[in-house]
């Protein structure tokens, strides 16, 4: 029977023909490798009765012999096997001599995981003898600087992990991202290689994030290579940074080109392609966030997770969970430290990597008035390239609905679904673009225990299907479904990171309620010091924590603006259609839009219904015009009605969609397209309401036969200021909606706005000549609207001042005055739009703000 000796990383094993040997990253395997390019269960070496055989178990990056990828191959002395990469992957040498075997302890079946020494530079050590659980070695944290007499002491880890600790933390998750190429493409000099989704490309990438004709590789006359963007919708990236749309960039030997979920690297005369299939590692190193005043709300947080894993983050209020989530997603980058997506700096390459990250906030990121399928249809339209066909989007939507078992609910309105089903729809929206990394913020908040379990089982399934899932939660009932648990302590420090089944034993309590009570009762206790002095820290975090973060200069924010998947007009049309669908599905709002202006206009008819809006005849004795108080009163009522209706239409629109806007903005939504869709739809509604108010208020009264600008169409001319006033008031409502933090605060501000407009119309008291007050009134839209209508009606004659020289110049019965009043009214609306756009910036990921 042939003798075979396996050697890797300076360690040797004499193989027993009576059994097989598992190679991979699984700690329970026989030969364990701490390299992300090696799959969990990568390959098996066994004797088949005739010869030794190595068999690849469908590994992601492959098994290679003499540079060729193999599935099953007979091996013997002299064979060299590379795992994960044909050239620099972990090397396994096979020989027929046993002289290199130092001791019987090298036998795989007796070898603890850490002692197998997958990491480079490992030196053999004699494992420390096992200590009984009740005699676990005392760590530094057991004598804290601040007394905590009632905090139970940490128990030692279970026996199955003690051997790992002896090896110096070899169980830490891999963080290496240099994977083996998925496939190779041969280059010929002078040839153009075009990349895209269409079948007529030289290199076809079946990814809906990729345009039909996305980019081209070109050889330059001097022998160098360049990448040219072909006007792609989601952009072409070099080293994580977008190149100009339709532009080009020369490539160096170390440059990596990103297209959708694929990256490319030129090596010699061939093109290596790496496809992100979801199996990526993720880690955070030394994250620290400091707010004004120098207070740290996140303190030196480090942890790493392997591919296809589910991680839960728990902790009491004030422990920095939300801050950590923003730091991990790039919404609010940490002031110190780095976040690595498969060994790529997320902050530096956010423009490209944002397409591979999904985020499900605590609030639903969809319009509840729409059906499930229609909500996903509009989301797909916004996120996929403009050249994606309706059939392609439909197929992807149906695929996601089937995966999440939502196909039977697709025609139901989101608002009619249960809490757990709505959360599934939010997850479905994120899965449309096939993200490799998914974050969820309190997905089980407000759900009953049964729905809580269903949601966590859904997340477990997403991880098993090849994604990395991180969930921030307050629920501790289903933590056993997770691979790792991160516990945050008050103040933003790590109190524990490791398997969830060991967490309570680590803290020394029986329930999580006791742990959280301890956090509350001993807020000044050094929980981070307790963690870093523990054996669990040595096993699960010490190796990662020991690596100092790379000094990476984040590019200017302007350079990090990601390309938009759709052009501005396409986004605008889609947003308008979606907004109209949302409004049309809300019958109550539709009825209110008609009833409110009708009632406001009808109220004005109660004021001297038989009186016209013309100047009265002069007093025969004095010669003075008798003031027509009806005209000013009617105009006051109509102006206030238009103000209230316009502002009421918009005052909740931005705040109720804030979470949706934040998420869509991160995926490439144009801020101006979003704002203009609101302005367009609400503007049309408000202008029509203003027309209805004006027609009802003016049509039944005697008005001048000739206007200033429209001749005999005086009714329309009088209605135009009311319509413009409604529009400008709607813009003021958008300002309120962009400033408030909760929808409940909008109503008091709406009432205050309406009352302010009443005071500054100029109908209650004379504004002209009042120093300060008159100038302040110029900021009020009602001042200019009443002035424009007053110019048409000649208010200086209808309601003349006591002194002839005190007439209001804004009421002069001239065409120039009317145009000035209307221009000022519209200018106020435009200025409001500018401020709304600026305020919307505050609700965008900080890393992509201009």
């Amino acid at each position: 029977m042939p003798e075979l000796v396996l050697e890797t990383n300076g360690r040797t094993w004499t193989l027993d023909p009576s059994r097989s040997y598992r190679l991979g990253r699984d700690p329970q395997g026989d030969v364990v490798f701490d390299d992300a390019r090696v799959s969990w269960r990568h390959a098996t070496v066994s004797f088949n009765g005739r010869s030794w055989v190595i068999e690849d178990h469908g590994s992601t990056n492959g098994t290679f012999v003499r540079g060729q990828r193999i599935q099953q191959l007979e091996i013997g002395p002299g064979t060299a096997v590379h795992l994960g990469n044909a050239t620099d992957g972990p090397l396994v040498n096979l020989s027929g001599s046993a002289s290199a075997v130092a001791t019987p302890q090298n036998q795989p079946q007796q070898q603890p995981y850490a002692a197998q020494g997958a990491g480079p530079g490992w030196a053999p050590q004699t494992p420390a003898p096992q200590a009984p659980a009740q005699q676990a070695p005392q760590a530094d944290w057991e004598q804290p600087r601040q007394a905590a007499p009632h905090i139970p002491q940490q128990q030692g880890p279970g026996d199955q992990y003690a051997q790992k600790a002896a090896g110096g933390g070899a169980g830490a998750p891999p963080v290496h991202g240099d994977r083996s190429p998925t496939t190779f493409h041969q280059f010929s000099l002078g040839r153009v290689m075009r990349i895209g989704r269409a079948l007529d490309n030289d290199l076809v990438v079946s990814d809906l994030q990729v345009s039909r004709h996305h980019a081209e590789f070109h050889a330059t006359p001097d022998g160098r290579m360049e990448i040219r963007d072909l006007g792609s919708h989601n952009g072409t990236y070099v080293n994580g940074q977008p190149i100009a749309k339709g532009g080009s960039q020369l490539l160096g030997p170390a440059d990596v080109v990103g297209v959708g979920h694929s990256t490319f690297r030129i090596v010699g005369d061939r093109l290596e392609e790496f496809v992100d299939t979801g199996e990526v590692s993720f880690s955070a190193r030394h994250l620290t966030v400091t707010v004004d005043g120098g207070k740290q709300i996140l303190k030196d947080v480090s942890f790493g997770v392997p591919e296809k894993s589910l991680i839960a983050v728990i902790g009491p209020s004030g422990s920095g969970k939300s801050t950590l989530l923003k730091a991990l997603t790039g919404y609010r980058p940490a002031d110190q430290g780095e976040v690595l997506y498969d060994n790529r700096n997320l902050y530096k390459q956010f423009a490209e990597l944002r397409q591979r990250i999904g985020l499900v906030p605590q609030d639903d990121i969809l319009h509840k008035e729409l059906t499930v399928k229609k909500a996903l249809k509009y989301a797909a339209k916004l996120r996929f390239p403009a050249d994606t066909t309706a059939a392609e989007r439909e197929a992807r939507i149906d695929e996601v609905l089937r995966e999440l078992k939502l196909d039977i609910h697709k025609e139901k309105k989101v608002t009619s679904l249960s809490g757990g089903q709505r959360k599934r729809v939010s997850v479905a929206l994120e899965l449309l673009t096939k993200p490799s990394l998914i974050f969820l913020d309190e997905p089980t908040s407000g759900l009953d225990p049964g729905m809580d379990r269903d949601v966590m089982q859904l997340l477990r399934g997403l991880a098993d299907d090849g994604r990395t899932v991180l969930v921030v939660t307050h629920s501790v009932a289903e933590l056993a479904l997770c691979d790792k648990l991160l516990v945050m302590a008050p103040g933003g420090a790590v109190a524990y990171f490791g398997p969830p089944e060991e967490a309570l034993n680590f803290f020394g309590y029986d329930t999580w309620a006791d742990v959280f009570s301890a956090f509350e009762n001993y807020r000044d206790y050094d929980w981070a010091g307790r963690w870093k002095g523990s054996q669990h820290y040595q096993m699960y975090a010490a190796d990662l924590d020991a690596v100092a973060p790379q000094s990476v200069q984040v590019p200017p924010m302007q350079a990090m603006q990601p390309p938009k998947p759709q052009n501005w007009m396409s986004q605008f049309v889609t947003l308008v259609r979606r907004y109209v669908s949302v409004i049309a599905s809300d019958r109550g709002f539709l009825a209110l839009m008609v009833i409110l202006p009708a009632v406001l206009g009808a109220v004005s008819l109660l004021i001297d219904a038989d009186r016209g809006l013309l100047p009265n005849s002069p007093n025969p004795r004095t010669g003075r015009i008798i003031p027509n108080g009806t005209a000013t009163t009617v105009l006051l009522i109509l102006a206030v009605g238009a103000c209230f209706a316009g502002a009421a239409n918009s005052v909740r629109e931005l705040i109720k969609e804030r979470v949706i806007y934040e998420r869509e903005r991160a995926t490439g939504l144009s801020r101006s397209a979003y704002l203009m869709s609101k302005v367009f739809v609400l503007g049309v509604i408000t202008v029509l309401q203003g027309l209805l108010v004006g027609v009802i208020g003016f049509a039944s009264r005697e008005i001048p036969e000739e206007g200033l600008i429209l001749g005999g169409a005086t009714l329309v001319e009088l209605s135009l200021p009311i319509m413009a006033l409604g529009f400008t008031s709607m813009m003021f409502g958008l300002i309120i909606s962009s400033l408030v933090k909760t929808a409940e605060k909008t109503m008091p501000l709406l009432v205050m706005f309406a009352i302010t407009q009443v005071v500054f119309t100029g109908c209650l008291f004379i504004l002209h000549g009042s120093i300060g007050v008159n100038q302040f009134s110029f900021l009020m839209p009602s001042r200019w609207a009443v002035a424009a209508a007053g110019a048409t009606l000649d208010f200086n004659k209808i309601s003349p001042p006591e002194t002839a020289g005190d007439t209001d110049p804004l009421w002069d019965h001239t065409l120039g005055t009317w145009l000035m009043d209307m221009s000022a009214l519209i200018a106020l609306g435009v200025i409001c739009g500018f401020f709304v756009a600026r305020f919307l910036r505050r609700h965008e990921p900080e890393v992509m703000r201009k």
Side-chain angles (χ1 to χ4, degrees):
M1 187 173 297
E3 178 182 84
L4 194 67
V5 176
L6 183 150
E7 185 273 336
T8 181
N9 288 320
R11 302 295 297 168
T12 57
W13 292 262
T14 299
L15 304 187
D16 181 359
S18 64
R19 55 162 298 189
S20 60
Y21 296 86
R22 294 173 296 163
L23 285 63
R25 291 200 338 272
D26 184 357
Q28 304 303 318
D30 300 294
V31 182
V32 182
F33 299 85
D34 189 10
D35 191 305
R37 294 171 295 182
V38 178
S39 294
W40 194 256
R41 294 178 177 87
H42 195 103
T44 299
V45 175
S46 61
F47 187 77
N48 63 7
R50 184 172 56 89
S51 62
W52 288 95
V53 175
I54 185 169
E55 180 180 1
D56 186 281
H57 290 302
S59 64
T60 301
N61 295 313
T63 304
F64 300 85
V65 175
R66 293 186 295 276
Q68 300 297 316
R69 185 166 183 167
I70 58 99
Q71 181 61 39
Q72 188 178 54
L73 184 70
E74 292 186 359
I75 55 176
T79 303
V81 179
H82 283 278
L83 304 182
N85 189 288
T87 55
D88 62 350
L91 177 62
V92 177
N93 284 314
L94 300 166
S95 64
S97 171
S99 59
V101 181
T103 67
Q105 290 179 348
N106 289 329
Q107 295 294 334
Q109 59 267 32
Q110 299 176 355
Q111 197 72 353
Y113 166 50
Q116 292 171 12
W122 179 88
Q125 299 179 8
T126 302
Q130 292 291 324
Q134 65 272 22
Q135 297 178 359
Q138 298 292 309
D140 293 340
W141 51 261
E142 296 192 3
Q143 291 85 30
R145 291 184 296 274
Q146 298 170 343
H150 300 295
I151 298 180
Q153 298 299 322
Q154 167 195 341
Q155 302 301 311
D159 292 342
Q160 69 271 31
Y161 298 99
Q163 290 179 326
K164 298 181 189 177
V175 295
H176 308 290
D178 188 14
R179 299 180 180 274
S180 173
T182 306
T183 185
F184 303 96
H185 307 277
Q186 198 65 34
F187 259 129
S188 58
L189 291 179
R191 184 181 170 216
V192 174
M193 180 176 286
R194 189 173 64 189
I195 304 172
R197 205 174 69 249
L199 297 178
D200 60 352
N201 290 285
D202 302 296
L203 201 164
V204 179
V205 179
S206 57
D207 180 358
L208 290 183
Q209 295 286 82
V210 178
S211 298
R212 295 183 64 81
H213 299 104
H214 197 103
E216 288 180 341
F217 285 99
H218 280 258
T220 62
D222 60 358
R224 300 177 65 184
M225 296 297 296
E226 71 173 2
I227 182 70
R228 296 181 184 176
D229 183 83
L230 300 179
S232 64
H233 299 278
N234 276 320
T236 304
Y237 302 82
V238 176
N239 300 325
Q241 301 304 308
I243 64 176
K245 192 169 186 176
S248 62
Q249 182 170 330
L250 288 172
L251 300 175
D255 288 338
V256 176
V257 176
V259 173
H261 286 78
S262 299
T263 52
F264 301 91
R265 182 172 59 190
I266 298 174
V267 179
D269 62 347
R270 70 179 184 179
L271 184 68
E272 295 182 348
E273 180 183 5
F274 303 77
V275 180
D276 186 344
T277 58
E279 297 181 345
V280 297
S281 60
F282 182 76
S283 61
R285 295 180 181 175
H286 305 286
L287 298 183
T288 300
V289 174
T290 305
V291 295
D292 296 339
K295 180 182 178 182
Q296 289 186 345
I297 56 177
L298 204 65
K299 299 179 181 178
D300 196 28
V301 175
S302 297
F303 67 94
V305 294
E307 60 191 43
K308 299 173 63 173
S309 57
L310 174 60
I311 305 95
V313 180
I314 65 172
S317 299
S319 59
K321 299 189 300 297
S322 297
T323 302
L324 175 63
L325 187 64
K326 292 178 180 179
L328 295 176
T329 56
Y331 270 51
R332 199 290 188 191
D335 300 305
Q336 300 176 30
E338 62 184 1
V339 177
L340 299 182
Y341 176 100
D342 222 24
N343 214 34
R344 301 175 64 183
N345 189 288
L346 176 64
Y347 298 159
K348 185 178 180 181
Q349 303 187 24
F350 180 80
E352 177 185 357
L353 296 179
R354 69 183 176 91
Q355 302 177 22
R356 310 185 190 184
I357 296 176
L359 172 63
V360 181
Q362 182 174 349
D363 297 324
D364 294 327
I365 51 176
L366 35 85
H367 294 85
K368 299 178 183 178
E369 301 84 356
L370 301 178
T371 64
V372 171
K373 188 162 187 178
K374 185 171 286 189
L376 295 181
K377 183 183 76 171
Y378 285 120
K381 179 71 173 173
L382 287 172
R383 297 192 182 193
F384 289 139
D387 60 5
T388 307
T389 65
E392 288 175 316
R393 293 195 299 270
E394 191 91 3
R396 179 57 188 156
I397 291 171
D398 290 340
E399 181 183 351
V400 171
L401 290 175
R402 286 192 301 270
E403 180 180 358
L404 298 182
K405 298 180 177 59
L406 287 169
D407 46 337
I408 60 175
H409 303 294
K410 63 182 180 181
E411 299 303 331
K412 295 180 182 177
K413 284 189 176 182
V414 176
T415 188
S416 68
L417 301 177
S418 66
Q421 290 169 342
R422 283 202 303 271
K423 192 58 63 177
R424 282 177 178 265
V425 178
S426 294
V427 173
L429 192 152
E430 291 300 311
L431 291 185
L432 289 174
T433 54
K434 297 185 178 180
S436 302
L437 184 62
I438 302 177
F439 294 92
L440 300 99
D441 187 11
E442 300 286 357
T444 61
S445 177
L447 302 184
D448 61 49
M451 290 183 179
D452 181 355
R453 180 181 58 192
D454 290 344
V455 171
M456 292 301 292
Q457 288 177 343
L458 166 67
L459 303 183
R460 177 70 264 170
L462 293 178
D464 293 338
D465 288 342
R467 305 174 183 93
T468 299
V469 182
L470 186 145
V471 53
V472 175
T473 180
H474 276 112
S475 174
V476 297
E478 304 297 332
L479 293 180
L481 293 173
C482 302
D483 298 297
K484 290 289 191 294
L485 176 64
L486 175 67
V487 182
M488 300 294 293
V494 177
Y496 172 82
F497 177 73
E501 62 270 15
E502 297 181 38
L504 287 175
N505 186 50
F506 169 82
F507 287 107
Y509 288 104
D510 296 327
T511 67
W512 282 108
D514 294 331
V515 175
F516 278 56
S517 294
F519 283 147
E520 181 64 28
N521 295 333
Y522 306 102
R523 298 187 69 89
D524 296 330
Y525 182 71
D526 186 11
W527 295 100
R530 181 180 196 267
W531 157 243
K532 291 190 175 181
S534 68
Q535 293 181 1
H536 287 81
Y537 172 80
Q538 296 299 322
M539 285 189 292
Y540 304 120
D543 288 353
L544 182 70
D545 219 13
V547 180
Q550 303 170 8
S551 179
V552 178
Q553 182 65 37
V554 178
M557 296 301 179
Q558 177 67 25
M560 300 184 69
Q561 289 297 308
K564 299 175 176 60
Q566 305 256 341
N567 61 45
W568 189 94
M569 183 55 68
S570 179
Q571 286 195 8
F572 172 75
V573 171
T574 301
L575 290 167
V576 167
R577 291 179 58 193
R578 182 177 70 178
Y579 194 22
V580 170
S581 296
V582 171
I583 292 176
S585 64
D586 190 345
R587 295 180 181 178
F589 182 71
L590 285 174
L592 187 62
M593 284 193 304
V594 177
I595 294 173
L596 179 61
V599 170
L600 293 173
V603 168
S604 68
L605 299 179
L606 302 177
I607 309 298
D608 291 335
D610 58 341
R611 294 291 299 274
L613 303 181
L614 299 175
N616 283 353
S617 57
N619 187 307
R621 185 171 58 83
T622 63
R624 286 179 52 80
I625 300 293
I626 300 174
N628 184 353
T630 301
T632 54
T633 304
V634 168
L635 198 55
L636 172 64
I637 293 175
L638 297 181
V640 172
C643 283
F644 188 82
N649 286 339
S650 61
V651 75
R652 290 177 178 265
E653 287 306 305
L654 299 182
I655 181 62
K656 75 179 185 182
E657 291 187 0
R658 182 161 295 173
V659 176
I660 298 175
Y661 173 74
E662 289 176 355
R663 183 65 195 125
E664 290 184 342
R665 178 67 176 141
T667 61
L669 179 69
S670 166
R671 182 196 312 148
S672 59
Y674 175 79
L675 177 57
M676 287 306 299
S677 71
K678 294 291 185 185
V679 172
F680 177 79
V681 176
L682 292 173
V684 170
I685 293 173
T686 305
V687 166
L688 291 177
Q689 288 178 327
L691 178 62
L692 183 59
V693 170
V695 169
I696 293 175
F698 294 125
S700 63
R701 298 181 184 274
E702 187 180 2
I703 58 177
E705 296 181 357
E706 292 289 330
L708 292 172
I709 190 171
L710 297 180
T714 312
L715 178 61
V716 177
E717 184 175 317
L718 286 172
S719 298
L720 284 176
I722 303 300
M723 296 158 66
L725 175 58
F727 177 84
T728 303
S729 298
M730 180 270 296
M731 298 300 296
F732 270 90
L734 288 178
I735 285 185
I736 295 174
S737 191
S738 64
L739 285 175
V740 296
K741 293 184 178 181
T742 62
E744 289 74 17
K745 295 180 180 179
T746 58
M747 294 312 297
L749 293 174
L750 173 62
V751 173
M752 183 177 68
F753 171 75
I755 292 176
T756 305
Q757 300 312 303
V758 173
V759 175
F760 290 100
T761 56
C763 297
L764 297 180
F765 59 90
I766 297 175
L767 293 173
H768 177 65
S770 301
I771 304 301
V773 176
N774 188 41
Q775 286 70 29
F776 182 75
S777 72
F778 294 160
L779 301 176
M780 303 295 134
S782 62
R783 172 75 161 115
W784 298 102
V786 170
T792 299
L793 294 173
D794 198 0
F795 262 16
N796 282 327
K797 284 188 177 180
I798 289 179
S799 184
E802 293 293 333
T803 305
D806 289 342
T807 57
D808 194 331
L810 300 184
W811 291 358
D812 287 345
H813 187 61
T814 64
L815 176 60
T817 301
W818 190 90
L819 291 175
M820 180 187 70
D821 293 338
M822 290 295 292
S823 298
L825 182 57
I826 295 173
L828 279 177
V830 173
I831 293 172
C832 287
F834 171 78
F835 280 108
V836 174
R838 298 295 296 176
F839 295 147
L840 278 176
R841 287 183 66 253
R842 303 185 310 164
H843 310 299
E844 300 172 2
E846 186 174 321
V847 74
M848 64 183 294
R849 293 179 190 171
K850 292 184 180 180

